[in-house]
Amino acid sequence: MAVEKKLMSKKKPAFPVNEMLNAYLKNYKRDIKISIYYEDLLRFQGSVTVYDKNDEDTLWIRTYYSDSDRAEIDMSLKKVYTMLHSDGNEETIPFLNVDAVDYCTFGNSKPFRIKIRNILNDNFTYFYVKKADASRIYGLELEHILSPYSMNFLVHGNTLIEEHIAGIPGDDFIRDILPTCTESEKSQIAKEFVKFKERCLVRLLGDMRSYNYVITPTHDFDHIIYKIRAIDFDQQSFEGNLKVYNLQFMKENFKMVEMVSKKLQNDSIRQYKIEERSYMAKRMITTPRRTLRLIKCMKNDSISYPENVTLLKKHLIQYVGDVKFKDCTNMGEILETILAFVKRNYLDISTK
């Protein structure tokens, strides 16, 4: 725990969505009118603890509402589901049921997890209702632009709706599944961990402890391919300590880091880092307008403290050796400088 105290500063506050970011969200159809807000779900009358299959506390509680509130909340949540996953057409609403509204008091966002079931075939899925936080929204958008994965979310006022990201929680995977993986699978997971680590470091997504990402297995012919996805974007460009953005310094990831050192040579690690940076550079080149607009929003926003900006600049100058970081005045400018460095380096090499 002492290591964590050195890495992480005091609890991160929620930052409001300013007018420029709100205009960006409207332009890219992320802002949409909804009939229910985060505060509405806080009106629950009671709750019970949710346990997992091993009878362990999941840190979620299942909420219950008064009869008068329940009907209205259920209908509103069904409408939100149709907006998130379809075109908002309400013809499917009679076939949907809200099976559960769970609340988590653990972590910064204190989210609600909504379980929606199709009564015709019993298929179900989840989505989350959270307090809107500018840094989290930047994190979601950067994931959408720079990673291999599309992010589906909506914002309205002070409420954020997020699609569920399916996968095996990283801490569960490391504890229960990793020890049973073949040596070949461990090598493939080590490769993915290096690429995921590099992606988080470059785009300044912090606090990627094992329970903040998931492992997604995919069957491919006669073997399984494992991918790693972030699921928590709360610590986007907030902390000043560069180690917070580097997964290898999180004690929860030590078994993964140890596996990387055993399975991969330094030349391979360097190769996978270059591959990930090249991919991100290509994404920026193919979506230049969206990237520029988002960075412009960040440069005109405040999503961290001045002392964090000063410390991160110092660490990045030491790490990268680029004195351009000295001129940065906020987190948006720091990220712009990092991404420009990655893009410039890719173009310098690829055009030779």
Side-chain angles (χ1 to χ4, degrees):
M1 185 60 83
V3 176
E4 291 301 320
K5 286 181 180 177
K6 289 180 183 176
L7 283 182
M8 304 291 289
S9 67
K10 56 189 175 183
K11 185 177 178 181
K12 175 191 157 294
F15 294 96
V17 178
N18 66 17
E19 288 186 14
M20 183 176 285
L21 178 57
N22 195 45
Y24 172 95
L25 294 169
K26 286 181 178 177
N27 185 71
Y28 289 101
K29 304 297 184 285
R30 297 290 202 193
D31 179 274
I32 193 165
K33 287 186 177 180
I34 54 178
S35 56
I36 191 167
Y37 292 89
Y38 177 86
E39 285 76 13
D40 295 328
L41 294 178
L42 290 172
R43 301 201 309 260
F44 55 88
Q45 302 292 304
S47 63
V48 295
T49 301
V50 178
Y51 295 95
D52 64 16
K53 62 183 180 181
N54 298 317
D55 287 330
E56 293 183 6
D57 189 346
T58 62
L59 302 178
W60 291 85
I61 57 174
R62 186 142 299 163
T63 62
Y64 296 97
Y65 298 84
S66 66
D67 291 342
S68 57
D69 279 344
R70 184 75 205 204
E72 183 181 347
I73 287 173
D74 276 16
M75 179 56 70
S76 296
L77 290 173
K78 291 174 188 178
K79 289 179 180 178
V80 168
Y81 172 85
T82 63
M83 292 175 187
L84 187 66
H85 289 282
S86 186
D87 56 2
N89 191 318
E90 297 184 6
E91 290 181 4
T92 59
I93 284 180
F95 310 119
L96 301 177
N97 189 69
V98 179
D99 275 10
V101 178
D102 297 336
Y103 179 58
C104 182
T105 56
F106 177 74
N108 278 347
S109 60
K110 293 184 170 56
F112 284 92
R113 180 179 62 195
I114 317 300
K115 182 180 180 181
I116 298 284
R117 179 173 55 88
N118 186 310
I119 61 176
L120 297 178
N121 50 39
D122 274 348
N123 282 328
F124 65 88
T125 188
Y126 300 94
F127 67 85
Y128 298 88
V129 181
K130 303 177 180 179
K131 288 181 285 188
D133 172 17
S135 54
R136 179 181 291 276
I137 292 168
Y138 287 124
L140 287 162
E141 268 298 302
L142 286 165
E143 182 77 358
H144 184 79
I145 295 170
L146 298 177
S147 85
Y149 309 107
S150 297
M151 301 303 295
N152 188 12
F153 68 94
L154 301 171
V155 182
H156 185 61
N158 62 351
T159 300
L160 170 65
I161 311 293
E162 277 185 44
E163 183 181 47
H164 175 66
I165 298 173
I168 305 166
D171 51 348
D172 291 348
F173 183 90
I174 292 169
R175 184 187 65 242
D176 302 330
I177 300 175
L178 187 60
T180 66
C181 289
T182 65
E183 294 307 308
S184 175
E185 287 172 340
K186 287 179 180 177
S187 293
Q188 194 265 321
I189 295 166
K191 168 189 171 182
E192 287 301 319
F193 186 79
V194 169
K195 298 181 81 168
F196 178 61
K197 182 173 82 75
E198 189 67 11
R199 187 160 71 244
C200 293
L201 183 61
V202 168
R203 43 79 55 102
L204 294 181
L205 178 61
D207 194 22
M208 278 298 107
R209 287 174 278 188
S210 55
Y211 48 77
N212 287 332
Y213 57 82
V214 294
I215 315 292
T216 57
T218 304
H219 289 266
D220 182 35
F221 293 110
D222 58 348
H223 65 292
I224 300 174
I225 297 294
Y226 295 93
K227 297 289 185 180
I228 305 177
R229 292 192 63 177
I231 58 171
D232 192 336
F233 303 92
D234 182 63
Q235 290 285 342
Q236 173 65 51
S237 305
F238 173 72
E239 293 286 347
N241 189 342
L242 185 60
K243 288 183 178 180
V244 174
Y245 305 103
N246 194 332
L247 278 70
Q248 72 184 58
F249 293 105
M250 303 288 175
K251 64 182 177 63
E252 292 85 354
N253 297 325
F254 282 175
K255 285 188 179 178
M256 295 286 265
V257 174
E258 187 179 48
M259 182 180 65
V260 169
S261 65
K262 287 180 179 178
K263 305 301 293 185
L264 303 179
Q265 296 179 350
N266 287 337
D267 287 344
S268 294
I269 292 173
R270 196 176 302 112
Q271 174 199 339
Y272 297 141
K273 286 182 176 181
I274 292 170
E275 283 182 11
E276 194 58 35
R277 290 188 184 191
S278 299
Y279 178 87
M280 295 173 79
K282 290 174 184 176
R283 294 278 291 181
M284 284 186 272
I285 291 167
T286 55
T287 57
R289 190 166 182 171
R290 187 164 188 158
T291 308
L292 288 172
R293 286 193 67 170
L294 184 66
I295 296 299
K296 185 178 179 181
C297 288
M298 287 188 74
K299 288 165 62 178
N300 287 275
D301 208 342
S302 176
I303 55 172
S304 188
Y305 300 134
E307 58 268 28
N308 287 358
V309 174
T310 301
L311 181 61
L312 187 58
K313 283 161 55 176
K314 178 183 173 183
H315 286 186
L316 282 166
I317 291 170
Q318 293 172 349
Y319 184 75
V320 182
D322 192 339
V323 294
K324 289 183 180 179
F325 288 108
K326 283 186 177 179
D327 299 325
C328 298
T329 60
N330 58 38
M331 286 295 183
E333 292 179 3
I334 289 176
L335 185 61
E336 180 183 46
T337 305
I338 295 172
L339 295 180
F341 175 87
V342 170
K343 183 178 174 183
R344 184 170 65 249
N345 194 55
Y346 167 77
L347 290 173
D348 287 347
I349 294 172
S350 65
T351 54
K352 284 181 182 177

